[in-house]
Amino acid sequence: MRQPNIARAATVLAGAALAAGVVGAAPADAATVEFPQVPTLAHGGICWTSIHTWAETSPQWPGRAILNVRADPVAGVGPGDYPLAPLCEVRTTVAWRNLNTGATGVYENNVVTGLYGSIQYALFQDTGPGRVEVTVSTDTASVPAHGTFDVPA
């Protein structure tokens, strides 16, 4: 037996509200901190792009943070059949230092970017709890970025 339109609409809205509450739920103290973009040249032609980096922390991962790296769509000229749609790469380094404990680390990736940008690269880092400063740089001409974030205990 089919429900009347009003009953179906109410069921759909109630289900959507419940799903939004479950799916949209995030830890109360979770944090995302974006760092300034790093404009950079890239290998594979005459290429340039910008690197986006950010850190994610949560009390669910005490003493740890996820460092994320992603590149914008590349601009420039490259070799091959499609020189105006080059596929370029740049070695990206996120060096971090915990200001409270003195712990240090480095997250490096060979970021490959093309016409639509790059995939997102992400990795947990055992930073320890405290204030962490980062420096983001590449292996080509670039403008490095600096930032800080807090990691819960």
Side-chain angles (χ1 to χ4, degrees), residues 57 61-65 67 94-106 125-135 147-153:
T57 60
W61 325 309
R64 301 180 83 197
L67 294 181
V94 182
W96 58 265
R97 180 174 183 270
N98 187 314
L99 299 174
N100 298 92
T101 67
T104 61
V106 175
Q125 298 288 297
D126 293 321
T127 61
R131 188 140 186 95
V132 177
E133 70 177 1
V134 298
T135 300
T148 59
F149 64 97
D150 295 308
V151 178

Side-chain angles (χ1 to χ4, degrees), residues 16 22-23 37 40 55 66 77 83 97 99 105 107 111 121-122 127-128 148 153:
V22 171
V23 173
Q37 291 184 31
T40 184
I66 300 174
V77 178
R97 180 174 183 270
L99 299 174
Y107 176 41
V111 177
Y121 301 83
T127 61
T148 59

Side-chain angles (χ1 to χ4, degrees), residues 16-17 21 28 31 33 41-42 44 53 56 65 74 78 86 88 92 97 100-101 103 116 118 124 129 136-137 139 141:
V33 177
L41 295 178
T53 53
E56 297 176 55
V74 71
C88 298
T92 302
R97 180 174 183 270
N100 298 92
T101 67
Y116 300 106
S118 76
F124 267 113
V136 183
S137 60
D139 68 343

